[in-house]
Amino acid sequence: MSIPFVKLHYTGKEWDYIQQATSLCGDGFFTRQCHTWIENYTGCLKALLTHSCTAALEMSALLIDIQPGDEIIMPSYTFVSTANAFVLRGGVPVFVDIRPDTLNMDETLLEAAITPKTKAIVPVHYAGVACEMDTILDIAKRYNLFVIEDAAQGVMASYKGRILGTIGHLGAYSFHETKNIISGEGGALLINDGQFCELAEIIREKGTDRSHFFRGQVDKYTWQHVGSSFLPSELIAAFLYAQLEEAQSITKQRLKIWNHYHTNFAELEAEGLIRRPIIPDYCQHNAHMYYILLSDLDARSHIMALLKKRGIQSVFHYIPLHSSPAGKKYSRVSGNMNNTDNLSDCILRLPLYADMDISTMNKIIEVVKESLVVVA
Ligand SMILES: *Cc1c(COP(=O)(O)O)cnc(C)c1O
């Protein structure tokens, strides 16, 4: 029997809701339900569904009016969209190294990366574990910078009681099927600064005031601003709403699996064979992923091969953006990237999905233990 890296979790209501959808295009009943759910649960000022987190990040770049040459500080250890969304507007990603404990942006390196061209900081909440937001917000305030949270992995997680995506000026969620709460493709922009509410609606609707038109605030709609089509179909929103309704129980289920891994790997960590994820005590994470850190690339390759032989799919990421072809062309680094380079060689992600049963978990744990004893 083989064990996949992810298995989709359905709440059971997705198909009913899709059948109940009364339109195919966006911004119907289910889109509004999702907006209300996100606004109520997170406390953000305004939520707007998008067709992806990538789209929400692209909207953010438009909202803060990124101009060619503007610099945006972010980690190199992230998914391409974090950087690409700003490069599309001519922005220049400036990479800082990550912290060895959470693998998040090292906030102590931010000030050294700031130049007169810096416009924003983009913290990425890796694995649903929050970045050090108090420090980041303080620096942003002192230098008059925007903070855009890439909370693609951070849905249902929080920092000192504040829900991720609601802490910066803007936040971006992903509902891609590889994330915790899913709609296949999907995302949301969370707006926490009132100056962006109206413009965000315009940018999302092809640069027109169509949303105002539908609310009867204007009698025809026209081209108002540079924009694009960032909204999802109602079918996606219907599917997503079924997931949001169960978001708390899905998160609880995932945390149970995460904790089972964590407890069972304590011994390997004590023996110095692996390092387990570190969660600061003021962060409530969402069990987006379970990873272990091996001693080096060879150890990781060895254990991955063994897992594969036993039918267990494991994965690693990221190729750091600063060493990718496009990263070299469009971005620059600030300081060294030692942690980014080292940790991206050592990380191994294990299967984690809401419906994983205990015997599957135990089999994975057993094979990991076995392979490490062989390496040692
Ligand atoms: C998944 C992910 C994205 C992109 O999400 P999409 O919804 O697929 O566009 C962006 N940033 C991070 C950190 C991610 O993990």
Side-chain angles (χ1 to χ4, degrees):
M1 191 199 71
S2 66
I3 301 172
F5 181 68
V6 284
K7 226 183 208 174
L8 304 189
H9 172 80
Y10 300 103
T11 69
K13 286 201 183 152
E14 287 87 351
W15 316 111
D16 289 348
Y17 286 177
I18 285 175
Q19 285 194 318
Q20 287 169 32
T22 52
S23 62
L24 279 173
C25 65
D27 280 341
F29 173 77
F30 283 107
T31 300
R32 288 194 297 274
Q33 291 292 98
C34 290
H35 289 169
T36 305
W37 192 96
I38 296 171
E39 285 160 9
N40 288 346
Y41 182 79
T42 69
C44 72
L45 195 58
K46 188 180 184 66
L48 289 171
L49 289 195
T50 55
H51 53 71
S52 60
C53 177
T54 302
L57 291 166
E58 289 174 16
M59 283 183 68
S60 303
L62 284 163
L63 281 166
I64 65 167
D65 194 27
I66 291 293
Q67 294 295 317
D70 284 349
E71 295 179 350
I72 308 94
I73 303 173
M74 63 180 69
S76 165
Y77 186 70
T78 182
F79 188 66
V80 292
S81 295
T82 318
N84 214 5
F86 297 92
V87 171
L88 270 173
R89 311 304 312 160
V92 179
V94 174
F95 300 125
V96 292
D97 206 6
I98 50 173
R99 295 163 48 137
D101 57 353
T102 55
L103 278 55
N104 276 331
M105 158 189 277
D106 185 340
E107 70 282 356
T108 65
L109 304 174
L110 287 174
E111 285 199 75
I114 293 171
T115 75
K117 289 182 174 170
T118 307
K119 187 115 191 213
I121 303 171
V122 184
V124 178
H125 304 300
Y126 183 69
V129 180
C131 294
E132 190 38 68
M133 293 308 290
D134 279 344
T135 308
I136 292 169
L137 289 180
D138 173 62
I139 292 168
K141 199 166 176 189
R142 281 193 281 120
Y143 290 88
N144 198 22
L145 306 173
F146 290 111
V147 175
I148 297 165
E149 299 175 72
D150 181 339
Q153 302 175 14
V155 178
M156 308 300 287
S158 60
Y159 167 82
K160 300 184 182 174
R162 284 132 86 195
I163 293 183
L164 304 192
T166 68
I167 306 168
H169 298 84
L170 298 162
Y173 279 178
S174 175
F175 303 116
H176 186 263
E177 70 170 30
T178 52
K179 302 302 199 293
N180 290 19
I181 309 300
I182 60 170
S183 59
E185 304 286 348
L189 178 70
L190 276 63
I191 301 168
N192 309 305
D193 179 338
Q195 65 167 308
F196 294 124
C197 288
E198 199 175 317
L199 188 55
E201 286 188 330
I202 289 170
I203 285 172
R204 178 169 166 273
E205 268 282 13
K206 300 92 182 165
T208 71
D209 52 354
R210 195 154 181 253
S211 309
H212 295 76
F213 172 70
F214 281 127
R215 286 199 296 260
Q217 292 164 347
V218 289
D219 58 7
K220 56 182 180 296
Y221 69 89
T222 58
W223 189 17
Q224 301 282 344
H225 194 268
V226 55
S228 189
S229 185
F230 290 113
L231 68 164
S233 157
E234 265 291 280
L235 301 188
I236 291 285
F239 190 105
L240 179 63
Y241 188 58
Q243 292 264 321
L244 289 174
E245 284 184 320
E246 299 293 326
Q248 275 162 301
S249 69
I250 293 170
T251 307
K252 224 159 131 188
Q253 251 173 286
R254 294 183 69 103
L255 281 165
K256 215 152 81 184
I257 294 151
W258 195 100
N259 288 330
H260 188 77
Y261 272 138
H262 205 59
T263 309
N264 279 276
F265 286 139
E267 199 184 311
L268 293 180
E269 186 176 67
E271 289 167 14
L273 294 170
I274 63 164
R275 209 209 76 195
R276 298 180 301 161
I278 294 169
I279 315 285
D281 57 12
Y282 47 83
C283 292
Q284 177 55 59
H285 73 108
N286 59 1
H288 173 59
M289 68 172 88
Y290 198 87
Y291 65 79
I292 54 175
L293 292 166
L294 288 311
S295 51
D296 56 24
L297 187 57
D298 285 347
R300 180 178 73 188
S301 305
H302 169 84
I303 178 169
M304 264 190 100
L306 195 90
L307 284 163
K308 192 175 168 202
K309 214 154 73 186
R310 300 294 186 82
I312 301 166
Q313 197 190 2
S314 63
V315 305
F316 64 83
H317 68 181
Y318 298 100
I319 308 297
L321 297 184
H322 73 271
S323 47
S324 67
K328 285 180 187 158
K329 197 166 160 188
Y330 298 116
S331 357
R332 65 176 180 83
V333 297
S334 172
N336 73 60
M337 291 288 126
N338 292 345
N339 291 335
T340 302
D341 289 331
N342 292 339
L343 294 163
S344 61
D345 276 350
C346 299
I347 193 165
L348 183 71
R349 299 175 58 191
L350 299 174
L352 174 54
Y353 43 85
D355 301 317
M356 186 180 275
D357 58 48
I358 188 115
S359 68
T360 303
M361 263 185 279
N362 287 341
K363 181 178 168 186
I364 298 165
I365 290 163
E366 192 185 303
V367 177
V368 168
K369 284 186 173 171
E370 191 185 313
S371 67
L372 283 165
V373 173
V374 177
V375 176

